[in-house]
């Protein structure tokens, strides 16, 4: 299973390297949204810092959505998904591979976004450990749910619009939790022992488990 | 050709002298401002840099229009648009940087969500997007068409940036130099220094754009050479192929002679 | 008419120094190994691609510059069916009919001639079998009775009866003074139905070969350049 | 040209009726985001009303983006775009038709969204005329730019990510202007003579004109 | 083995009461008009679809329930090539090789056998011609030397030499004790290369017809049910 996962992840990242979607398009997209939000929230610099975790994560989730969409549009063209099935790869492996590549792409975006938030919005980082770990688990959760629903939506002919509808509400708790954890991390109220982080870990693992178990049925549908 | 090189060289020299003059006038000749103190010296860089960015994007959109218009369609306009946009992006970045540097002491922040600042940042991104679009691989003429359309649409942001101070009534300095009556509200040696700085940065722009244009031309020429080489190579293969077909007696098979029958 | 044309895809000259002619009232075939450039040549003539060197002319007009004018008289059937998956076969045909302003004829009639039952016509296109899709695309490509019909492997995916239909169609076009250019791997079949043909091999056209059964008289206009009607060729 | 436009618009709307993307997916998506925002901004009803024009338009723009994406993924499958060209339709007509169908879809979404904002957020409408007219022109602007860039991005293999990158920054000024116009319309500071509305009209028409003129070159590329 | 199977697509029974057998060491063909259900039958056997009535068994396993186990031994070549457009032909093959754990063999070698030059292998798949894609898919479908090879119109889009290659391949599979089921419109060609065949007409299978040149001895096991090897059939 791990081997299958590695193959899938490697292939997806190779396609990414070839088509450079992330580099050429996703990062500028992130920058645009960052600026729009900044402008919308307005001139009081105080507020901006306060709500920057929220903005960070809304943007991060939106770009995760794009990454997921892209990941499954790769499989949709020429019905490559049928190919994956025909190869007899383990569904669990396909799932993990997709999660891994999406996770990796999201992390790249988040690092970039983080730099933006720190330098442009002037966000301070106090408990870096908390920020990093909670970000990792939140991303894991989103990537898992996204992969699961991405496969579901990809089977239909309307994935562009079905996917956000499925992914956004089911990741809303993760979004809220990670925002809270980041607020704590910034104000350094609590360190790595933050209960929000615990919640994120639980979410991330549950979503991962659900995906692993049910991905087979989804793929074959 | 040689002559062209000379003029470009001369342009570089003049531009350099202009910049040096601006530097000297700005730092040593003009007095500090009553309110802003030494900070006012940024006045000799920041507005002219912003102006050059506008100019660059203006040239890009003219190039784009000329490319899109069927009767003047020529890749040279596209190259000009590309070269100018690239220089424009550099100058927009400089505007942002010098503005930030100015903002730190005057507004006590590096960045704020003022309308002009925001629209300038958008401008920067729009043209980054333009450059990214150029990088999407496609045949040369298709790249040119796509880029021209994007370049044209992007330019709409320029008047918005300019007008933003009026429309949103913001923190940022409103038009002191490019106001409707075109009567600068600064006087004396300050005005002179600003004029020198405008001219010399414009010359710098010209020089950079010409250089960049030449590079674009070289790249296109190089591509053409590659194409020629590929064609020549293939022609050779084809000759062999044709010879073998002819000897096997299919029929008269010079591909150049497709029109006749044996 | 194509003269000394070189077509580049990327940095590779896929067609090299190609000369090709087609005249009114004839069926011209292209055959040759996979990847030799047949599709590329058809797309050049249809104006989807442009020649890096040389020229391509259709009806005396430049294939690239005047492609909008040319397209009114050209029908193109590609490897892929240009259909909307979510519409039924009938709706696809109706849309094409209105878009091309070729209002005559009931879509169901047209389709029946191509062996599509009304039931099939009522299905969304993505449910159709490969052959049924091909027939729908065929209906659309021939909708306007184009002066020039470009067929890229029309026989693929069709059953025996469907292939015969294509052959009949080509002959009907030629006999009514129009032109058909067809690329196909069913060499025997296409040779029998055509007047002249070219072998396409690694980007080079070799030919024309003339069909001894019917081709001979047709060739005349080509040499003189006088026998050509209506400027389909130089 | 108008006839071509009508055919295209009719076809797009028919496909919409058949596939029900808008009805089944876009509207729920809008509802979800509306609720998420409400949640994120918090319980103070005052703020919510103040920033509701901003929220309204950010959501409206995002769903316009989805509608545009969908509109061009219809053409992309089976390379139907080549078909359109082969039919010899006028590019201007294709452009207008696409703009019309996207415009119509966006208006449906906006009406729905408007009801949501009024009933859920408790937004008051004072100058309805200003709101409606400015919304119409803003939507026209977005639909025009979107159609133009949609066709541009559709030709590349990375449309999912290229499209937002191109469309968002170039419509950002429209977004800002229409938000301002709506703020005015709500507070009823000014009626239909609002300068922001003038700006929107200018934008809408300029974008429409650029699209009409350059769409031919884009389609053929 | 398919027994009394009915396959519904939507509300329509596309296959109706179909009985079908294939044994080890034989090539079985399917032919019949467009839209008659050949693709549907192949997809049923491959486990992409399930039977509403009756049953489909492969290697003695239920085609739907145990499809994952079955797929390890099945190669499927559909109408469409399941390839990644942004990867080169070589990368596609390499990925399939690793994914299916069939490490033996250099992709370039495999491809050469299928008539793909190294230059072609280095191109992104979306640039390839129709026939070249087909060959790449073919390489992938046969990669694992599957016990059961399902081919849906393998000849379409291929040139003469490619078609011969497919025929040879089918014969080679049969003679090494494996099974090939092929749907094709090139009836003469496929009949010559096969042992037995079914005519598929409007969802009904008629047959088997036995190839007099080679088929006769093969039929026995089917009647008795005893001669079948290794549980490929009931
Ligand atoms: C990152 C921050 C800033 C950005 C992006 C920015 C951008 C610009 C732009 C685009 C222009 C050209 C406007 C036009 O003529 O249309 C401009 C002009 C100008 N800026 Fe800034 N600026 C920034 C910060 C500042 C600061 C902090 C000051 C001084 C307190 C300042 C003073 C001026 C002045 C005096 C002009 C010339 C005004 C005119 O003649 O129109 N800017 N700036
Ligand atoms: N960018 C590129 N660089 C190099 N070669 C290319 C490029 N794009 C396409 N090719 C080659 O050009 C040829 C295109 O051929 P084309 O599709 O016209 O073939 P065809 O004769 O229609 O073949 P088929 O019978 O398989 O349909 C292929 O051999 C393909 O590999
Ligand atoms: N939902 C549906 N309702 C009714 N009929 C359907 C439905 N879905 C598919 N069909 C029909 O089922 C048949 C499917 O046939 P299939 O694709 O198996 O044909 P085939 O024998 O492979 O044909 P071809 O030779 O053209 O590839 C077609 O006739 C199609 O019209
Ligand atoms: Mg071809
Ligand atoms: Mg079939």
């Amino acid at each position: 299973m791990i081997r299958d996962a590695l193959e899938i992840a490697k292939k997806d990242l190779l396609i990414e390297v070839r088509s450079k979607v992330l580099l050429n398009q996703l990062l500028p997209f992130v920058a645009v949204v960052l600026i729009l939000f900044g402008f919308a929230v307005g001139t009081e610099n105080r507020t901006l810092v306060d709500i920057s975790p929220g903005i960070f994560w809304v943007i991060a989730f939106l770009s995760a959505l794009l990454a997921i969409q892209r990941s499954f549009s790769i499989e949709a063209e020429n019905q490559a998904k049928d190919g994956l099935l025909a190869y007899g790869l383990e569904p669990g492996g396909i799932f993990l591979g997709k999660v891994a590549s999406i996770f990796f792409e999201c992390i790249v975006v988040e690092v970039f976004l983080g730099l933006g938030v720190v330098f442009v919005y002037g966000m301070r980082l106090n408990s870096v450990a908390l920020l990093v770990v909670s970000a990792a688990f939140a991303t894991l959760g989103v990537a898992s749910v996204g992969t699961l629903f991405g496969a579901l939506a990809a089977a239909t002919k309307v994935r562009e619009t079905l996917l956000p509808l499925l992914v956004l509400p089911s990741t809303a708790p993760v979004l809220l939790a990670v925002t809270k954890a980041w607020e704590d991390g910034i104000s350094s109220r609590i360190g790595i022992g933050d209960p929000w982080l615990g919640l994120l870990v639980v979410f991330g693992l549950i979503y991962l488990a659900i995906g692993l178990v049910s991905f087979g049925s989804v793929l074959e549908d | 050709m040689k002559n062209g090189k000379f003029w470009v060289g001369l342009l570089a020299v003049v531009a350099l002298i202009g910049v040096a003059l601006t530097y000297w006038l700005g730092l040593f000749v003009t007095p500090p401002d009553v309110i802003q103190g030494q900070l006012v010296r940024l006045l000799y860089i920041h507005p002219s840099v912003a102006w050059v960015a506008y100019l660059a994007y203006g040239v890009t959109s003219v190039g784009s229009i000329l490319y899109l218009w069927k009767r003047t369609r020529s890749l040279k306009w596209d190259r000009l648009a590309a070269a100018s946009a690239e220089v424009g992006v550099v100058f927009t970045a400089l505007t942002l940087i010098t503005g930030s540097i100015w903002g730190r002491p005057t507004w006590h922040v590096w960045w704020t969500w003022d309308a002009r600042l925001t629209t300038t940042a958008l401008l920067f991104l729009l043209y980054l997007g333009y450059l990214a679009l150029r990088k999407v691989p496609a045949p040369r003429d298709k790249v040119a068409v796509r880029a021209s359309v994007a370049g044209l649409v992007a330019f709409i942001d320029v008047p918005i940036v300019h007008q933003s101070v009026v429309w949103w009534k913001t923190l940022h300095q409103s038009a002191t130099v490019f106001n409707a009556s075109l009567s600068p509200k600064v006087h004396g040696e300050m005005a002179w220094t600003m004029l020198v700085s405008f001219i010399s940065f414009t010359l710098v722009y010209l020089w950079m754009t010409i250089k960049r244009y030449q590079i674009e031309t070289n790249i296109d020429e190089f591509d053409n050479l590659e194409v020629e080489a590929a064609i020549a190579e293939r022609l050779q293969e084809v000759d062999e192929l044709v010879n073998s077909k002819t000897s096997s007696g299919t029929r008269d098979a010079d591909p150049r002679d497709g029109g006749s029958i044996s | 008419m194509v003269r000394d044309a070189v077509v580049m895809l990327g940095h590779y000259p896929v067609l090299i120094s190609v000369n090709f002619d087609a005249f009114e009232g004839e069926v011209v075939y292209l055959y040759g190994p996979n990847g030799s450039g047949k599709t590329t040549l058809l797309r050049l003539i249809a104006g989807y691609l442009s020649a890096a060197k040389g020229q391509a002319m259709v009806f005396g007009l430049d294939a690239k510059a005047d492609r909008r004018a040319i397209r009114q008289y050209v029908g193109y059937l590609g490897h892929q069916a240009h259909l909307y998956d979510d519409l039924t076969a009938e709706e696809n045909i109706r849309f094409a009919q209105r878009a091309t302003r070729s209002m005559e004829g009931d879509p169901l009639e047209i389709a029946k001639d191509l062996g599509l039952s009304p039931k099939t016509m009522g299905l969304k296109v993505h449910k159709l079998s490969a052959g049924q899709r091909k027939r729908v695309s065929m209906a659309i490509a021939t909708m306007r009775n184009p002066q020039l019909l470009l067929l890229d492997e029309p026989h693929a995916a069709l059953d025996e009866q469907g292939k015969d239909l294509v052959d009949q169609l080509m002959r009907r076009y030629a006999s009514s003074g129009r032109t058909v250019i067809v690329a196909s791997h069913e060499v025997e079949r296409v040779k029998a139905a055509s007047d002249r043909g070219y072998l396409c091999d690694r980007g080079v056209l070799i030919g024309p070969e003339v069909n001894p059964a019917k081709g001979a008289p047709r060739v005349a206009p080509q040499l003189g350049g006088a026998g050509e009607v209506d400027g389909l060729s130089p």
Side-chain angles (χ1 to χ4, degrees), chain A residues 24-25 31-32 34-35 38-39 42-43 45 48 120-121, chain B residues 109 111-115 118 121-122 125 132 135-136 168:
Chain A
N24 287 344
Q25 277 87 37
V32 168
L34 205 62
I35 287 172
F39 189 75
T43 35
N45 227 267
L48 204 55
V120 182
Y121 287 11
Chain B
V109 282
W111 184 261
T112 175
W113 295 102
D114 169 277
T118 307
L122 274 177
L125 282 170
K135 291 261 154 32
V136 175
W168 278 274

Side-chain angles (χ1 to χ4, degrees), chain A residues 196-213:
Chain A
W196 289 111
L197 177 56
L199 197 62
L200 283 174
V201 173
V202 172
F203 268 123
L205 296 182
I206 287 185
Y207 281 145
L208 193 68
I210 294 182
L212 267 179
V213 172

Side-chain angles (χ1 to χ4, degrees), chain B residues 130-152:
Chain B
Y130 171 90
L131 294 179
L133 188 64
R134 295 193 72 93
K135 291 261 154 32
V136 175
R140 186 65 184 86
D141 51 338
K142 295 185 183 178
V143 171
V145 167
R146 287 175 192 169
S148 301
V149 172
L152 211 55

Side-chain angles (χ1 to χ4, degrees), chain B residues 70 73 141-142 223 226-228 230-232 234-235 237-238 241-242 245 250-262, chain C residues 3-4 6 8 11-14 16-17 19 21 48 50 53 64 198-199 201-210 219 222-223:
Chain B
K70 291 262 157 48
R73 176 162 293 190
D141 51 338
K142 295 185 183 178
D223 282 351
E226 267 189 351
V227 167
E228 292 291 336
I231 292 176
R234 283 280 280 147
L235 269 175
E237 280 173 39
V238 165
L241 181 72
V242 167
K245 291 278 167 183
T250 333
R251 34 156 277 108
D252 130 55
D254 182 354
R256 288 156 201 292
D257 190 26
S260 67
I261 28 141
S262 52
Chain C
R3 281 283 162 275
D4 294 326
V6 174
M8 308 286 301
H11 286 291
Y12 187 75
V14 172
I16 187 96
S17 209
N19 286 289
D21 291 280
Y48 288 120
S50 56
K53 285 247 166 77
K64 178 85 179 172
Y198 294 82
L199 166 63
D201 194 358
R202 280 162 281 176
V204 182
L205 278 201
I206 297 164
E209 300 162 4
V210 179
V219 186
Q222 187 197 3
L223 297 169

